[in-house]
Amino acid sequence: MSTKPTTTELDWTDLDQRAVDTARILAADAVQKVGNGHPGTAMSLAPVAYTLFQKVMRHDPADPEWVGRDRFVLSAGHSSLTLYTQLYLAGFGLELDDLKAFRTWGSKTPGHPEYGHTAGVETTTGPLGQGIANAVGMAMAARYERGLFDPEAAQGASPFDHMIYAIAGDGCLQEGISHEASALAGHQKLGNLVLLWDDNHISIEGDTETAVSEDTLKRYEAYGWHVQRVAQQANGDLDPKALFEALQAAKAETERPSFIAARSIIAWPAPHAQGTEASHGSALGNDEVAATKRVLGFDPEQTFEVSDAVIGHTRKALDRGREAKAAWEKEFSAWRTANPQRAAEFDRINANELPAGWEDKLPVFETGKGIATRAASGKVLEALGAVIPELWGGSADLAGSNNTTIDKNSSFLPVGNPLPEADPYGRTIHFGIREHAMAAAMNGIALHGHTRIYGGTFLVFSDYMRNAVRLSALMHVPVTYVWTHDSIGLGEDGPTHQPVEHVASLRAIPGLNVVRPADANETAIAWREILRRHTKVFGKGAPHGLALTRQGVPTYDRNEDAAKGGYVLFEAEGGDAQVVLIGTGSEVQLAVAAREALQAEGVPARVVSMPSVEWFEEQSQEYKDSVLPPSVKARVAVEAGIGLTWHRYTGDAGRIVSLEHFGASADGAVLYREFGLTAEAVTAAARESLAAAAR
């Protein structure tokens, strides 16, 4: 990260203080106008946010996507006005009317910050603690990016050095994800990360003494963070000078992430609301807003009062941003001249393009040979890792089972780690047993840009990750989840480890593409399609979840239509199809065997493999009808999980062979037999469906 401060001493004038107080009044007015929201934290944190945006961070409000910018994450997303007021004051594109439209339909200022909706918002936050893990991921991505483009540069001397700043509240730190993410950050020695804790002692139920008694600073010291505390001024307000000095010290600490505790009074200086839980999530009331304005020297009869002097002062951030960007571009130009090959690689990655010929490296698997799709996925990663340097990832301590080690000789670990493969710019991430933080950090990595991230664990543990996965979909970020051990086929570990409802549940998340390949060749095509979809050709990105087998499954001829999500794997023989058998993942082989039995009985049967319902639904109606002819009412779908997904495809006459209960501890083949997930069961269901369709 850059160790060059903008200034070494804080230049703080009466106009700066007036701007901070203006932000407080704007927050109170915005919540009062709409009648709901969270005014208290935005009021008390105004000095923190203002100091960051006006005095510390390197950014250009006229170019919020500038590669060289510092990043800011408001983990306490309920206090969205903390961010919106600063985006307005600094000139990121929000104007006073946007603040007046807070929390209303179509506004640029929704209740919680939303990535891609408001310029200057780096990530969608709201679910507490997610932003902390996002920030950790951004800091990891910044280090890996430096390794891609400028690894030999001295500390603080690279155009790719920048800082990640985050603000978290008491709620963020109480959520378990904060422990996972913060422990990972300390272990990784992320010296480019600064987390500021709004220590206001208030949550929805009142004083945090109701639920919290640990020493938070010692907790962060134990993680290996650099820890500071910023005291209040005598009047109870936060001290900008002390904040600035703490932030400068944090920037100078290059070997550890930094944690700054700021003891604040929520809703300061509202005469009656300050320090109360009511001010956390409710409008202050007209009388209290007016009283607060009197305390701060504003006209109580006016709303959204911003003087020309204040806005003229704060919009100088545009001038400072332009100057900072120009200085950076000079450094960047010198780097380009000195590193032409790396500059070409940067241009390709920055354009969201893949290297020429990368698809030629994809393995093609031998037909008929049994191979687990998790093993096939590992072979794909090994092959692509050599030609796509921005592709990296790892596992939540299950790399050997998930087959997610892209390079066994290169681990993303900080300088000083004793392992022989440790490399601060390594390819393989060891997230540890931290599934939730892994998923949220992956979001941060993807949001940071310039890398392609994947992460693995068992499918059953996707439950631990679900909130972050949902946010991946909400933000359209291109992360890839590698979920292995995808059914009762994993065997003796039993029902605690056997996913039953998980695939259908994940398919219910809008915007998440779940891919459950039938075999090794479908797995290779799935990876190819995922990587293609994460390029500029497809516009908005999307997260993908690969559901992969532990057990071996037969390998079929490679069919390019697998990328369409559903296709005809085996056509009916002896006439038009009388029944369509739909399979996904490891159950496709059951449909294939059932087809053989039906064909022997003189019943022409078609097998459709459907690795991704979401991809299939994107296709034209003409294509979908060509795969699932509307005239064929007899249909059977088979999957080793609950059958919720398949009703839309089977119709009234169709049948579903599924698993509507938990598994058991036994060999996988035994479980398939005992639970009726067999070719015989699919054949019998086909006969029933044929009879129903004939009525």
Side-chain angles (χ1 to χ4, degrees):
M1 83 301 309
S2 175
T3 56
K4 306 174 198 173
T6 305
T7 59
T8 55
E9 294 184 3
L10 178 64
D11 178 18
W12 192 267
T13 67
D14 289 343
L15 206 48
D16 288 309
Q17 187 60 50
R18 186 66 173 180
V20 168
D21 293 339
T22 296
R24 288 174 160 137
I25 294 304
L26 290 174
D29 278 341
V31 174
Q32 194 63 34
K33 183 177 186 295
V34 73
N36 55 78
H38 301 78
T41 301
M43 294 170 67
S44 57
L45 281 184
V48 177
Y50 183 86
T51 301
L52 281 169
F53 274 83
Q54 294 283 335
K55 305 294 183 179
V56 173
M57 288 200 307
R58 183 175 70 181
H59 60 75
D60 180 7
D63 184 7
E65 301 297 319
W66 168 32
V67 170
R69 72 191 184 280
D70 293 336
R71 270 65 162 180
F72 173 77
V73 175
L74 182 66
S75 188
H78 59 275
S79 184
S80 55
L81 284 162
T82 295
L83 177 54
Y84 295 153
T85 53
Q86 298 309 318
L87 296 180
Y88 159 63
L89 291 172
F92 277 81
L94 289 184
E95 296 299 345
L96 209 51
D97 283 344
D98 296 308
L99 298 181
K100 293 177 182 178
F102 179 55
R103 284 180 162 237
T104 61
W105 175 263
S107 77
K108 296 180 182 179
T109 50
H112 293 81
E114 296 180 22
Y115 171 73
H117 185 79
T118 309
V121 173
E122 300 277 7
T123 180
T124 297
T125 53
L128 294 175
Q130 290 288 324
I132 294 176
N134 292 167
V136 171
M138 290 178 183
M140 293 169 66
R143 190 169 92 198
Y144 190 75
E145 176 190 53
R146 190 188 204 275
L148 282 176
F149 303 128
D150 204 13
E152 296 89 6
Q155 187 71 53
S158 171
F160 298 99
D161 289 331
H162 54 270
M163 300 293 295
I164 316 297
Y165 296 95
I167 290 178
D170 291 301
C172 294
L173 297 192
Q174 289 178 46
E175 289 286 358
I177 190 174
S178 74
H179 160 71
E180 293 184 25
S182 299
L184 177 62
H187 179 70
Q188 286 289 351
K189 300 182 179 179
L190 298 175
N192 56 350
L193 174 63
V194 178
L195 175 61
L196 195 142
W197 170 35
D198 175 31
D199 179 20
N200 66 28
H201 289 210
I202 291 293
S203 62
I204 290 175
E205 294 186 2
D207 195 300
T208 52
E209 289 291 340
T210 58
V212 180
S213 56
E214 75 261 22
D215 187 324
T216 303
L217 272 71
K218 287 184 179 178
R219 171 185 160 194
Y220 272 81
E221 285 178 354
Y223 293 145
W225 289 54
H226 171 241
V227 172
Q228 302 176 79
R229 176 170 282 285
V230 175
Q232 297 167 314
Q233 298 182 81
N235 64 2
D237 196 9
L238 288 169
D239 183 354
K241 184 175 185 296
L243 283 168
F244 181 80
E245 290 174 351
L247 289 164
Q248 293 296 81
K251 288 175 68 175
E253 172 53 64
T254 62
E255 301 300 323
R256 296 175 290 173
S258 287
F259 183 81
I260 300 173
R263 178 71 176 96
S264 67
I265 298 175
I266 194 169
W268 193 94
H272 305 101
Q274 64 176 280
T276 67
E277 60 268 28
S279 69
H280 165 82
S282 302
L284 300 183
N286 288 325
D287 291 344
E288 187 71 358
V289 172
T292 304
K293 290 177 180 178
R294 292 189 188 95
V295 169
L296 293 174
F298 286 75
D299 183 350
E301 300 300 320
Q302 286 196 49
T303 59
F304 297 94
E305 180 182 352
V306 182
S307 71
D308 291 342
V310 163
I311 200 66
H313 181 66
T314 60
R315 291 286 169 94
K316 290 178 182 176
L318 288 161
D319 298 329
R320 293 191 297 273
R322 184 168 54 251
E323 293 169 3
K325 183 179 175 183
W328 178 87
E329 286 180 334
K330 185 176 180 180
E331 294 179 14
F332 185 64
S333 179
W335 169 81
R336 294 185 70 92
T337 300
N339 300 273
Q341 287 186 320
R342 285 177 179 161
E345 193 84 307
F346 171 85
D347 290 340
R348 175 186 66 78
I349 294 171
N350 192 51
N352 207 13
E353 296 174 348
L354 288 162
W358 70 276
E359 295 182 44
D360 298 335
K361 303 298 182 181
L362 284 164
V364 177
F365 296 91
E366 181 183 348
T367 301
K369 186 175 181 180
I371 182 173
T373 54
R374 64 167 178 162
S377 174
K379 295 293 185 184
V380 172
L381 285 173
E382 288 177 11
L384 295 182
V387 293
I388 307 178
E390 66 269 29
L391 179 65
W392 65 317
S395 169
D397 198 54
L398 289 169
S401 293
N402 300 148
N403 295 84
T404 49
T405 300
I406 195 168
D407 185 347
K408 65 182 178 180
N409 298 312
S410 176
S411 289
F412 184 79
L413 289 166
V415 173
N417 187 285
L419 295 178
E421 68 273 19
D423 180 346
Y425 309 130
R427 297 291 296 277
T428 299
I429 306 173
H430 304 279
F431 288 101
I433 308 166
R434 305 181 179 105
E435 293 91 350
H436 196 182
M438 175 179 73
M442 288 165 65
N443 285 342
I445 291 169
L447 289 164
H448 180 276
H450 292 158
T451 71
R452 293 169 177 265
I453 186 67
Y454 66 86
T457 187
F458 292 167
L459 178 59
V460 75
F461 299 143
S462 64
D463 282 344
Y464 285 137
M465 310 162 68
R466 190 175 181 89
N467 201 2
V469 173
R470 182 176 185 271
L471 286 167
S472 301
L474 186 63
M475 292 189 285
H476 305 280
V477 291
V479 301
T480 303
Y481 300 105
V482 181
W483 289 314
T484 70
H485 297 59
D486 69 339
S487 73
I488 57 172
L490 68 89
E492 291 84 353
D493 276 341
T496 60
H497 281 52
Q498 292 166 359
V500 173
E501 74 279 22
H502 296 73
V503 172
S505 174
L506 289 163
R507 288 178 182 139
I509 298 176
L512 173 67
N513 295 331
V514 179
V515 189
R516 191 165 180 247
D519 69 348
N521 282 324
E522 275 193 14
T523 303
I525 290 173
W527 265 112
R528 184 193 66 189
E529 181 67 7
I530 288 168
L531 290 169
R532 285 182 64 242
R533 284 169 172 258
H534 292 178
T535 63
K536 65 181 181 181
V537 174
F538 282 85
K540 269 191 175 181
H544 287 80
L546 279 166
L548 305 173
T549 68
R550 175 184 184 270
Q551 74 275 26
V553 291
T555 303
Y556 303 108
D557 288 338
R558 179 167 169 157
N559 190 317
E560 297 300 325
D561 282 343
K564 296 178 180 178
Y567 65 102
V568 178
L569 178 61
F570 289 106
E571 187 54 276
E573 297 177 359
D576 293 337
Q578 295 180 19
V579 61
V580 176
L581 309 177
I582 308 168
T584 187
S586 50
E587 288 70 68
V588 168
Q589 63 183 307
L590 303 181
V592 172
R595 173 187 174 275
E596 293 173 359
L598 290 165
Q599 289 284 165
E601 296 174 5
V603 179
R606 168 185 287 188
V607 173
V608 169
S609 177
M610 195 171 291
S612 177
V613 171
E614 294 81 14
W615 289 353
F616 184 68
E617 287 299 319
E618 292 175 1
Q619 308 308 314
S620 69
Q621 191 61 49
E622 181 183 14
Y623 176 79
K624 289 189 288 185
D625 288 347
S626 74
V627 175
L628 301 175
S631 60
V632 182
K633 304 298 183 184
R635 300 179 180 185
V636 178
V638 55
E639 183 168 32
I642 62 171
L644 281 175
T645 301
W646 303 108
H647 293 280
R648 75 173 94 170
Y649 298 118
T650 54
D652 293 340
R655 297 293 183 267
I656 299 171
V657 179
S658 59
L659 188 66
E660 303 298 325
H661 53 77
F662 294 120
S665 180
D667 178 77
V670 171
L671 294 175
Y672 270 81
R673 183 187 70 232
E674 293 297 321
F675 291 147
L677 288 158
T678 63
E680 292 76 15
V682 176
T683 304
R687 295 191 192 105
E688 290 181 16
S689 183
L690 283 162
R695 292 190 190 118

